Amino acid sequence: MSKIRLLPDHVSNQIAAGEVVERPASVAKELVENAIDARATRIVIDVESGGRRLLKVSDDGEGMVRDDALLAFERHATSKIRTAEDLNSIATLGFRGEALASIASVARVELISKTEDAAAATRVVIEGGRMRDVKDAGHPRGTTLSVRDLFFNVPARRKFLRSEATETFHLTNLVTHYALAHPEIAFTLTNSGREVLRVASAKDLRERAYQIFGPEFLDNLLEVSGGHKHVAVVSGYVSAPRDRRTSRDAQYLFVNGRFVRDQLIGRALSEGYRSVLPHGVYPAALLFIQTPLEEVDVNVHPAKTEVRFRRVAAVADAVREAVRSALASAGYMLPEVTGSSTALADQREADDLVAVLAAAASDYSPLGTPSSAANSAAAVGEQRAPIEPARQSRIEFASPPIQEDEFLAEGRRGPDRVALKSDTARDLDAINRRPLSAERNSVESASQFVETASKAESLILESASAADGNTKAISLPPLASADKFAREVTVEELSSNIRPLGQLDESFIIATDDEGLLLIDQHVAHERILFDKYRALESSRLAESQNLLIPETFDLTPAQAAAFDYVAPELESYGFELMRLSGRTVAIKATPADLPANEARNMLAEILETVDAEKKGSAREAIRDDIAASLACHAAIKVNMPLALEKMRWLIDRLLQTSSPTTCPHGRPVILRLATRDILKGFHRT
Ligand code: ADP
Ligand code: MG
């Protein structure tokens, strides 16, 4: 007997729904795309309970006649393509003709739609893929689609829906995306009657960005305009390097008006910032890539959030170059390192040189970035032992010669000084910055760094001599470096007998102990001290505040606003006093005692972005750690701050009293050691 059956439609639709409909935001995506394809000028999205109970999208687009309203729910029913050839140049957002069928198979759906000419609107009700009712109804030109009780007939999927806050976050993010992609369309989003986003039709992207993110965000934007029309025209905005994000959440990327999550573009964007932004820090971006329709395949993923470019490398180049020239025209980069494709090879070389130098300067740690540090620490079998209380009590501390307040006050003056020394600003930045190229994201061994560093040295010498008109390149033999001997220090190797000698680059304290030389990163050391302090004060409910003379106001993005209500109580337990004003404006009335007022906003923005939807579900404890770490980072003295010996001593003493003197709250090493015995080895004295 044969065993293969054709599945009934409602079953195959549910299977398709598995891919298309993941959560309320994915339903909203399909409905909003349909409204845009129908040339709506106004789109209103109302949700209840984060879209789990109700998700309603109304538009004033071209609407559907009765036959179409019924056909729309059939699988593979679409008005947007006719032949397979049409798949090669898709100009609409939709084309698969399966969204409505999928959605209707897993929810209770009501469609009301009217075209300009029709006498009456048509109302169609479908539940779990079964047609329940069709009749005339009243509705102005356009379409309203209500989706109730998502996954009511698929309990397994319903279980995977997250909290209302999480789903609202995703919805808000989605609507923000489409609002940015279509400034000409007015958007409104309400959640359980509360207005989350409302923007009137805007004349251009800049005005739309202003409506959504507020004036401050706009101040930090650089205009991007580049690429070639045969490959990819790149336009939009990216943030100035001072606007730093810890996630890619503020990167809105569009390909031919379609919101995509594209790693290729994300990476190319980061490459554009190579040498101006450190590793793990991301710019904000509103980037529009316009390619000839046949250059891109959008039929890659059922949810259409991925695309495939025919000429991948060319698109990546176009994005990177456009971003670099935006940075260059704003003075963040030398103009000659960007430009025409003939200069591309030179430019790459120049970039590599900058990157190598930056790496040499910033990667004083042979173990590199936090994650690679963890990897290589594991690889060489090093273990971070937890601190031993007994051992700690044996350490005696000299009484701190200076007060913390004094120390911090100095720290706060630091950035002003830095700003004055504009000449060295570039060098300073190099200390803090790490190149972002893909190769460099991988773990690199200490010896590779040594090699690249000495290669860089000879490169400089070469180019210097070339500039002198001297054709003979001077190149030093690679210096035998002690780099490979420098190691992270574990807690039990620490003695109390640490004596500061001075600073390297005004950023790292050079010290000795009985074992040899130590390098202490002053910023992360202070970060560790403050982190412990904040955590202790918070848990004993003794957080100190400083009132601001004039409250600072701060505009939240819609997504930040969604996170705000959740995080605000935690922030207040650290000494913030915050007040939600009308709309998405927040007033900062008081800040934690040590936090410089001018850092408060940055810190808030950072926290609201790190505490993303996923973390909202996680323990409050984790959020408190995030807040303490971020506070510590913003309040700590910066690199490139000259310190008197006394202050170095103070810092070291306090560091030794912390819970984990050798690692910073973000997991980076605080102290490196170059042991005397290795120095002896290096000089062939053993
Ligand atoms: P697709 O968008 O891929 O064509 P859908 O299942 O999303 O498939 O929609 C099926 C069809 O229903 C569309 O091709 C379009 O003709 C029609 N349609 C859906 N939503 C709307 C709307 N808001 N306004 C006008 N027509 C719509
Ligand atoms: Mg569609």
Side-chain angles (χ1 to χ4, degrees), residues 245-281:
R245 318 271 169 150
T246 48
S247 76
R248 290 191 186 272
D249 283 355
Q251 296 183 353
Y252 299 89
L253 310 177
F254 306 85
V255 174
N256 295 343
R258 190 183 296 280
F259 141 47
V260 293
R261 290 191 204 97
D262 191 279
Q263 294 201 343
L264 169 87
I265 302 174
R267 264 204 307 270
L269 174 63
S270 288
E271 282 256 313
Y273 278 81
R274 184 154 72 153
S275 81
V276 293
L277 272 189
H279 179 72
V281 174

mmCIF file of all heavy atoms in Angstrom, residues 245-281:
data_model
loop_
_atom_site.group_PDB
_atom_site.id
_atom_site.type_symbol
_atom_site.label_atom_id
_atom_site.label_comp_id
_atom_site.label_asym_id
_atom_site.label_seq_id
_atom_site.Cartn_x
_atom_site.Cartn_y
_atom_site.Cartn_z
ATOM 1 N N ARG A 245 28.471 52.417 20.847
ATOM 2 C CA ARG A 245 27.455 51.480 21.314
ATOM 3 C C ARG A 245 28.110 50.152 21.604
ATOM 4 O O ARG A 245 29.086 49.789 20.964
ATOM 5 C CB ARG A 245 26.400 51.244 20.239
ATOM 6 C CG ARG A 245 25.995 52.479 19.525
ATOM 7 C CD ARG A 245 24.868 53.106 20.232
ATOM 8 N NE ARG A 245 24.611 54.438 19.725
ATOM 9 C CZ ARG A 245 23.397 54.978 19.727
ATOM 10 N NH1 ARG A 245 22.385 54.303 20.185
ATOM 11 N NH2 ARG A 245 23.245 56.201 19.291
ATOM 12 N N THR A 246 27.510 49.433 22.520
ATOM 13 C CA THR A 246 28.100 48.142 22.847
ATOM 14 C C THR A 246 27.432 47.007 22.080
ATOM 15 O O THR A 246 27.789 45.860 22.228
ATOM 16 C CB THR A 246 27.986 47.866 24.354
ATOM 17 O OG1 THR A 246 26.639 48.151 24.737
ATOM 18 C CG2 THR A 246 28.927 48.758 25.122
ATOM 19 N N SER A 247 26.418 47.337 21.295
ATOM 20 C CA SER A 247 25.811 46.287 20.478
ATOM 21 C C SER A 247 25.508 46.865 19.104
ATOM 22 O O SER A 247 25.643 48.058 18.881
ATOM 23 C CB SER A 247 24.508 45.806 21.111
ATOM 24 O OG SER A 247 23.493 46.768 20.885
ATOM 25 N N ARG A 248 25.061 45.982 18.215
ATOM 26 C CA ARG A 248 24.705 46.446 16.881
ATOM 27 C C ARG A 248 23.247 46.903 16.812
ATOM 28 O O ARG A 248 22.718 47.129 15.732
ATOM 29 C CB ARG A 248 24.925 45.324 15.864
ATOM 30 C CG ARG A 248 26.386 45.000 15.633
ATOM 31 C CD ARG A 248 26.530 44.081 14.421
ATOM 32 N NE ARG A 248 27.888 43.618 14.244
ATOM 33 C CZ ARG A 248 28.803 44.285 13.551
ATOM 34 N NH1 ARG A 248 28.495 45.416 12.981
ATOM 35 N NH2 ARG A 248 30.028 43.801 13.448
ATOM 36 N N ASP A 249 22.595 47.014 17.968
ATOM 37 C CA ASP A 249 21.170 47.347 17.961
ATOM 38 C C ASP A 249 20.843 48.645 17.240
ATOM 39 O O ASP A 249 19.749 48.804 16.725
ATOM 40 C CB ASP A 249 20.634 47.456 19.393
ATOM 41 C CG ASP A 249 20.427 46.086 20.003
ATOM 42 O OD1 ASP A 249 20.613 45.098 19.280
ATOM 43 O OD2 ASP A 249 20.085 46.018 21.190
ATOM 44 N N ALA A 250 21.761 49.578 17.252
ATOM 45 C CA ALA A 250 21.450 50.864 16.625
ATOM 46 C C ALA A 250 21.895 50.891 15.161
ATOM 47 O O ALA A 250 22.091 51.947 14.592
ATOM 48 C CB ALA A 250 22.108 52.006 17.396
ATOM 49 N N GLN A 251 22.081 49.728 14.573
ATOM 50 C CA GLN A 251 22.430 49.697 13.156
ATOM 51 C C GLN A 251 21.215 49.268 12.350
ATOM 52 O O GLN A 251 20.739 48.147 12.475
ATOM 53 C CB GLN A 251 23.593 48.733 12.911
ATOM 54 C CG GLN A 251 24.846 49.199 13.620
ATOM 55 C CD GLN A 251 26.049 48.319 13.346
ATOM 56 O OE1 GLN A 251 25.950 47.265 12.727
ATOM 57 N NE2 GLN A 251 27.202 48.766 13.817
ATOM 58 N N TYR A 252 20.715 50.168 11.576
ATOM 59 C CA TYR A 252 19.548 49.895 10.761
ATOM 60 C C TYR A 252 20.010 49.787 9.314
ATOM 61 O O TYR A 252 20.457 50.765 8.728
ATOM 62 C CB TYR A 252 18.511 51.003 10.925
ATOM 63 C CG TYR A 252 18.017 51.132 12.349
ATOM 64 C CD1 TYR A 252 18.662 51.960 13.260
ATOM 65 C CD2 TYR A 252 16.924 50.398 12.784
ATOM 66 C CE1 TYR A 252 18.214 52.060 14.571
ATOM 67 C CE2 TYR A 252 16.464 50.483 14.086
ATOM 68 C CZ TYR A 252 17.114 51.326 14.977
ATOM 69 O OH TYR A 252 16.668 51.410 16.263
ATOM 70 N N LEU A 253 19.945 48.584 8.779
ATOM 71 C CA LEU A 253 20.491 48.340 7.451
ATOM 72 C C LEU A 253 19.364 47.956 6.492
ATOM 73 O O LEU A 253 18.491 47.166 6.844
ATOM 74 C CB LEU A 253 21.505 47.193 7.500
ATOM 75 C CG LEU A 253 22.575 47.303 8.582
ATOM 76 C CD1 LEU A 253 23.462 46.065 8.569
ATOM 77 C CD2 LEU A 253 23.414 48.558 8.383
ATOM 78 N N PHE A 254 19.403 48.526 5.319
ATOM 79 C CA PHE A 254 18.355 48.273 4.352
ATOM 80 C C PHE A 254 18.963 47.967 2.996
ATOM 81 O O PHE A 254 19.903 48.636 2.577
ATOM 82 C CB PHE A 254 17.461 49.502 4.196
ATOM 83 C CG PHE A 254 16.910 49.993 5.506
ATOM 84 C CD1 PHE A 254 17.643 50.846 6.305
ATOM 85 C CD2 PHE A 254 15.654 49.577 5.932
ATOM 86 C CE1 PHE A 254 17.139 51.284 7.518
ATOM 87 C CE2 PHE A 254 15.142 50.012 7.140
ATOM 88 C CZ PHE A 254 15.884 50.872 7.936
ATOM 89 N N VAL A 255 18.422 46.982 2.338
ATOM 90 C CA VAL A 255 18.835 46.704 0.974
ATOM 91 C C VAL A 255 17.607 46.886 0.090
ATOM 92 O O VAL A 255 16.607 46.191 0.285
ATOM 93 C CB VAL A 255 19.394 45.279 0.834
ATOM 94 C CG1 VAL A 255 19.688 44.968 -0.625
ATOM 95 C CG2 VAL A 255 20.644 45.125 1.680
ATOM 96 N N ASN A 256 17.686 47.800 -0.824
ATOM 97 C CA ASN A 256 16.545 48.135 -1.681
ATOM 98 C C ASN A 256 15.268 48.324 -0.861
ATOM 99 O O ASN A 256 14.211 47.794 -1.192
ATOM 100 C CB ASN A 256 16.344 47.052 -2.753
ATOM 101 C CG ASN A 256 17.533 47.000 -3.698
ATOM 102 O OD1 ASN A 256 18.334 47.940 -3.747
ATOM 103 N ND2 ASN A 256 17.656 45.920 -4.441
ATOM 104 N N GLY A 257 15.402 49.067 0.217
ATOM 105 C CA GLY A 257 14.237 49.402 1.030
ATOM 106 C C GLY A 257 13.780 48.285 1.947
ATOM 107 O O GLY A 257 12.819 48.413 2.689
ATOM 108 N N ARG A 258 14.487 47.178 1.911
ATOM 109 C CA ARG A 258 14.103 46.026 2.713
ATOM 110 C C ARG A 258 14.993 45.979 3.935
ATOM 111 O O ARG A 258 16.213 46.082 3.837
ATOM 112 C CB ARG A 258 14.343 44.790 1.860
ATOM 113 C CG ARG A 258 13.828 43.497 2.369
ATOM 114 C CD ARG A 258 14.243 42.401 1.413
ATOM 115 N NE ARG A 258 13.633 42.580 0.091
ATOM 116 C CZ ARG A 258 12.381 42.218 -0.193
ATOM 117 N NH1 ARG A 258 11.644 41.660 0.714
ATOM 118 N NH2 ARG A 258 11.894 42.422 -1.398
ATOM 119 N N PHE A 259 14.389 45.806 5.078
ATOM 120 C CA PHE A 259 15.156 45.739 6.320
ATOM 121 C C PHE A 259 15.818 44.369 6.381
ATOM 122 O O PHE A 259 15.153 43.352 6.279
ATOM 123 C CB PHE A 259 14.197 46.033 7.475
ATOM 124 C CG PHE A 259 14.378 45.239 8.720
ATOM 125 C CD1 PHE A 259 15.634 45.066 9.287
ATOM 126 C CD2 PHE A 259 13.287 44.699 9.375
ATOM 127 C CE1 PHE A 259 15.790 44.342 10.441
ATOM 128 C CE2 PHE A 259 13.441 43.973 10.534
ATOM 129 C CZ PHE A 259 14.685 43.798 11.067
ATOM 130 N N VAL A 260 17.120 44.350 6.500
ATOM 131 C CA VAL A 260 17.819 43.064 6.515
ATOM 132 C C VAL A 260 18.730 42.947 7.728
ATOM 133 O O VAL A 260 19.141 43.941 8.315
ATOM 134 C CB VAL A 260 18.708 42.870 5.262
ATOM 135 C CG1 VAL A 260 17.864 42.754 4.016
ATOM 136 C CG2 VAL A 260 19.720 44.001 5.137
ATOM 137 N N ARG A 261 18.985 41.729 8.094
ATOM 138 C CA ARG A 261 20.035 41.485 9.082
ATOM 139 C C ARG A 261 21.171 40.898 8.274
ATOM 140 O O ARG A 261 21.155 39.724 7.956
ATOM 141 C CB ARG A 261 19.585 40.440 10.099
ATOM 142 C CG ARG A 261 18.527 40.955 11.007
ATOM 143 C CD ARG A 261 18.315 39.993 12.164
ATOM 144 N NE ARG A 261 16.975 40.202 12.677
ATOM 145 C CZ ARG A 261 15.931 39.460 12.329
ATOM 146 N NH1 ARG A 261 16.080 38.428 11.537
ATOM 147 N NH2 ARG A 261 14.755 39.736 12.793
ATOM 148 N N ASP A 262 22.082 41.741 7.917
ATOM 149 C CA ASP A 262 23.102 41.237 7.012
ATOM 150 C C ASP A 262 24.477 41.376 7.622
ATOM 151 O O ASP A 262 24.938 42.464 7.904
ATOM 152 C CB ASP A 262 23.036 41.989 5.695
ATOM 153 C CG ASP A 262 23.884 41.313 4.646
ATOM 154 O OD1 ASP A 262 25.106 41.532 4.643
ATOM 155 O OD2 ASP A 262 23.327 40.540 3.863
ATOM 156 N N GLN A 263 25.104 40.232 7.821
ATOM 157 C CA GLN A 263 26.417 40.248 8.457
ATOM 158 C C GLN A 263 27.452 40.904 7.567
ATOM 159 O O GLN A 263 28.340 41.589 8.042
ATOM 160 C CB GLN A 263 26.854 38.829 8.744
ATOM 161 C CG GLN A 263 25.991 38.171 9.772
ATOM 162 C CD GLN A 263 26.701 37.003 10.406
ATOM 163 O OE1 GLN A 263 27.690 36.522 9.856
ATOM 164 N NE2 GLN A 263 26.215 36.572 11.536
ATOM 165 N N LEU A 264 27.304 40.679 6.274
ATOM 166 C CA LEU A 264 28.270 41.225 5.340
ATOM 167 C C LEU A 264 28.311 42.746 5.458
ATOM 168 O O LEU A 264 29.377 43.353 5.565
ATOM 169 C CB LEU A 264 27.866 40.821 3.924
ATOM 170 C CG LEU A 264 28.637 41.530 2.831
ATOM 171 C CD1 LEU A 264 29.909 40.772 2.539
ATOM 172 C CD2 LEU A 264 27.808 41.702 1.583
ATOM 173 N N ILE A 265 27.137 43.365 5.443
ATOM 174 C CA ILE A 265 27.096 44.820 5.516
ATOM 175 C C ILE A 265 27.555 45.296 6.888
ATOM 176 O O ILE A 265 28.291 46.266 7.014
ATOM 177 C CB ILE A 265 25.675 45.330 5.210
ATOM 178 C CG1 ILE A 265 25.262 44.852 3.822
ATOM 179 C CG2 ILE A 265 25.623 46.852 5.275
ATOM 180 C CD1 ILE A 265 23.835 45.162 3.472
ATOM 181 N N GLY A 266 27.123 44.568 7.919
ATOM 182 C CA GLY A 266 27.556 44.916 9.273
ATOM 183 C C GLY A 266 29.077 44.905 9.384
ATOM 184 O O GLY A 266 29.685 45.817 9.947
ATOM 185 N N ARG A 267 29.677 43.882 8.802
ATOM 186 C CA ARG A 267 31.144 43.779 8.862
ATOM 187 C C ARG A 267 31.807 44.872 8.052
ATOM 188 O O ARG A 267 32.793 45.473 8.489
ATOM 189 C CB ARG A 267 31.596 42.414 8.351
ATOM 190 C CG ARG A 267 31.817 41.410 9.456
ATOM 191 C CD ARG A 267 32.780 40.317 9.014
ATOM 192 N NE ARG A 267 32.367 39.706 7.766
ATOM 193 C CZ ARG A 267 31.560 38.647 7.687
ATOM 194 N NH1 ARG A 267 31.105 38.091 8.778
ATOM 195 N NH2 ARG A 267 31.227 38.144 6.528
ATOM 196 N N ALA A 268 31.259 45.147 6.881
ATOM 197 C CA ALA A 268 31.843 46.187 6.039
ATOM 198 C C ALA A 268 31.756 47.537 6.750
ATOM 199 O O ALA A 268 32.678 48.355 6.675
ATOM 200 C CB ALA A 268 31.127 46.239 4.694
ATOM 201 N N LEU A 269 30.671 47.736 7.440
ATOM 202 C CA LEU A 269 30.498 48.970 8.210
ATOM 203 C C LEU A 269 31.582 49.076 9.276
ATOM 204 O O LEU A 269 32.254 50.102 9.421
ATOM 205 C CB LEU A 269 29.099 48.939 8.841
ATOM 206 C CG LEU A 269 28.706 50.033 9.815
ATOM 207 C CD1 LEU A 269 28.715 51.379 9.110
ATOM 208 C CD2 LEU A 269 27.321 49.760 10.381
ATOM 209 N N SER A 270 31.777 47.997 10.018
ATOM 210 C CA SER A 270 32.821 47.996 11.034
ATOM 211 C C SER A 270 34.193 48.226 10.424
ATOM 212 O O SER A 270 35.025 48.940 10.981
ATOM 213 C CB SER A 270 32.829 46.676 11.793
ATOM 214 O OG SER A 270 31.712 46.606 12.642
ATOM 215 N N GLU A 271 34.436 47.623 9.274
ATOM 216 C CA GLU A 271 35.708 47.823 8.580
ATOM 217 C C GLU A 271 35.924 49.290 8.270
ATOM 218 O O GLU A 271 37.034 49.793 8.321
ATOM 219 C CB GLU A 271 35.696 47.050 7.263
ATOM 220 C CG GLU A 271 35.926 45.581 7.423
ATOM 221 C CD GLU A 271 37.328 45.225 7.008
ATOM 222 O OE1 GLU A 271 37.755 45.678 5.934
ATOM 223 O OE2 GLU A 271 37.996 44.528 7.771
ATOM 224 N N GLY A 272 34.846 49.964 7.927
ATOM 225 C CA GLY A 272 34.939 51.387 7.637
ATOM 226 C C GLY A 272 35.452 52.167 8.845
ATOM 227 O O GLY A 272 36.129 53.174 8.702
ATOM 228 N N TYR A 273 35.140 51.674 10.020
ATOM 229 C CA TYR A 273 35.539 52.358 11.250
ATOM 230 C C TYR A 273 36.878 51.861 11.782
ATOM 231 O O TYR A 273 37.284 52.228 12.866
ATOM 232 C CB TYR A 273 34.488 52.158 12.338
ATOM 233 C CG TYR A 273 33.330 53.108 12.221
ATOM 234 C CD1 TYR A 273 32.305 52.865 11.331
ATOM 235 C CD2 TYR A 273 33.271 54.266 12.991
ATOM 236 C CE1 TYR A 273 31.238 53.731 11.212
ATOM 237 C CE2 TYR A 273 32.215 55.141 12.885
ATOM 238 C CZ TYR A 273 31.202 54.867 11.992
ATOM 239 O OH TYR A 273 30.160 55.734 11.883
ATOM 240 N N ARG A 274 37.474 50.960 11.029
ATOM 241 C CA ARG A 274 38.731 50.392 11.487
ATOM 242 C C ARG A 274 39.689 51.528 11.833
ATOM 243 O O ARG A 274 39.811 52.488 11.092
ATOM 244 C CB ARG A 274 39.329 49.518 10.398
ATOM 245 C CG ARG A 274 40.583 48.821 10.836
ATOM 246 C CD ARG A 274 40.733 47.588 10.051
ATOM 247 N NE ARG A 274 41.111 47.925 8.675
ATOM 248 C CZ ARG A 274 41.802 47.104 7.897
ATOM 249 N NH1 ARG A 274 42.166 45.948 8.340
ATOM 250 N NH2 ARG A 274 42.109 47.450 6.687
ATOM 251 N N SER A 275 40.317 51.402 12.956
ATOM 252 C CA SER A 275 41.280 52.366 13.475
ATOM 253 C C SER A 275 40.645 53.624 14.052
ATOM 254 O O SER A 275 41.336 54.455 14.594
ATOM 255 C CB SER A 275 42.375 52.725 12.458
ATOM 256 O OG SER A 275 41.909 53.675 11.546
ATOM 257 N N VAL A 276 39.331 53.790 13.965
ATOM 258 C CA VAL A 276 38.735 54.883 14.745
ATOM 259 C C VAL A 276 37.806 54.383 15.850
ATOM 260 O O VAL A 276 37.471 55.135 16.752
ATOM 261 C CB VAL A 276 37.976 55.936 13.896
ATOM 262 C CG1 VAL A 276 38.913 56.704 13.015
ATOM 263 C CG2 VAL A 276 36.868 55.311 13.108
ATOM 264 N N LEU A 277 37.401 53.153 15.786
ATOM 265 C CA LEU A 277 36.609 52.593 16.883
ATOM 266 C C LEU A 277 37.276 51.312 17.353
ATOM 267 O O LEU A 277 37.720 50.515 16.546
ATOM 268 C CB LEU A 277 35.183 52.264 16.433
ATOM 269 C CG LEU A 277 34.111 53.342 16.503
ATOM 270 C CD1 LEU A 277 32.759 52.729 16.221
ATOM 271 C CD2 LEU A 277 34.089 54.029 17.855
ATOM 272 N N PRO A 278 37.329 51.110 18.662
ATOM 273 C CA PRO A 278 37.962 49.897 19.161
ATOM 274 C C PRO A 278 37.071 48.675 18.939
ATOM 275 O O PRO A 278 35.889 48.798 18.620
ATOM 276 C CB PRO A 278 38.117 50.166 20.647
ATOM 277 C CG PRO A 278 37.084 51.162 20.982
ATOM 278 C CD PRO A 278 36.861 51.977 19.741
ATOM 279 N N HIS A 279 37.673 47.547 19.136
ATOM 280 C CA HIS A 279 36.972 46.285 19.016
ATOM 281 C C HIS A 279 35.824 46.226 20.022
ATOM 282 O O HIS A 279 35.940 46.688 21.134
ATOM 283 C CB HIS A 279 37.972 45.176 19.331
ATOM 284 C CG HIS A 279 37.364 43.831 19.272
ATOM 285 N ND1 HIS A 279 37.013 43.251 18.088
ATOM 286 C CD2 HIS A 279 37.016 42.971 20.249
ATOM 287 C CE1 HIS A 279 36.499 42.071 18.344
ATOM 288 N NE2 HIS A 279 36.484 41.881 19.641
ATOM 289 N N GLY A 280 34.705 45.652 19.614
ATOM 290 C CA GLY A 280 33.603 45.479 20.551
ATOM 291 C C GLY A 280 32.756 46.725 20.744
ATOM 292 O O GLY A 280 31.861 46.756 21.566
ATOM 293 N N VAL A 281 33.060 47.766 20.001
ATOM 294 C CA VAL A 281 32.273 48.990 20.071
ATOM 295 C C VAL A 281 31.700 49.232 18.686
ATOM 296 O O VAL A 281 32.388 49.056 17.690
ATOM 297 C CB VAL A 281 33.161 50.180 20.491
ATOM 298 C CG1 VAL A 281 32.384 51.482 20.418
ATOM 299 C CG2 VAL A 281 33.684 49.945 21.887
#
